[in-house]
Each structure stands twice: as C-alpha cells, then as structure tokens.
Amino acid sequence: MAAGLAVVAGLAATVSVTACLVPGPHGAARAQPLYWLSMLPLVWWANGLVRFEPRAVRCWRAALALACLGAGAGLAAALWRVEDWTLPALGFAVTLASAGASLAVHRDSLVAREGPAR
C-alpha cells in the first residue's frame, strides 16, 4: 500500500511538472516527446519500487521529497504565469497527501523493518 501511494504521489508530481514544460491541454501535451521523456524516471523508479528493489526502496524518501518539490514548482509556475491554477493546486494537494500517507504507512511496514528484497 505504501508503494502504491508513493507511485500516486510521483505521478501527480510528474503531471504537474510536465504541465509546466509542455504548453497546451493535457491531451495535446501527451503527443509531445518531452512529455514521455519526463515520465521515464517515474516509470523506472515505480517499477523498481513495486518489486521492492534495493535502489528504489533506499531512495523512497528522496523521491517523495523531489515529487513534493516538483509539484510545488508546478503550482508556483502556474501562479507566476497567471493562468488557471486549480489543477496544479489539486496536483500539489494530491502529491502532499499521497506522500505523507505513503511515509506513514511505510514506517510500520515490513519493508521498513526488514529492508528491501535481496
């Protein structure tokens, strides 16, 4: 459950960052190569995380901190450009809530007690 919440936080943050990098609505942005390139780190980390690989589990907190910073940067960019900021604010809220819940659940999990798969 903690890994799933971490992936949700990472996905919300990645969508917030790509909304800043690629102009236009979300459907049109998905046609851009930069959109898919920005998704690659999330897919790589999430794939390792759901398999509890040592590298992905060790960087769990750092990845969630980076996700929160990215979602915050997406919200700040939307506010700076004076555009509709409701979706970036929703993405920021989802990222913070998912990251916090993931860390709370992870603290009491078997992975936190015994470490990642070997």
Side-chain angles (χ1 to χ4, degrees), residues 9-45:
L11 182 63
T14 304
V15 169
S16 294
V17 169
T18 56
C20 294
L21 297 176
V22 182
H26 186 70
R30 288 178 32 194
Q32 300 291 330
L34 183 60
Y35 178 89
W36 296 107
L37 284 175
S38 67
M39 288 286 180
L40 284 178
L42 171 71
V43 170
W44 173 75
W45 176 70

Side-chain angles (χ1 to χ4, degrees), residues 63-113:
L64 289 179
L66 186 62
C68 291
L69 286 174
L75 178 59
L79 291 172
W80 182 66
R81 289 189 296 204
V82 191
E83 61 184 36
D84 186 21
W85 54 270
T86 54
L87 287 177
L90 181 64
F92 183 64
V94 167
T95 301
L96 286 180
S98 297
S102 172
L103 289 176
V105 173
H106 178 262
R107 181 180 32 188
D108 298 330
S109 71
L110 185 64
V111 176
R113 286 193 304 265

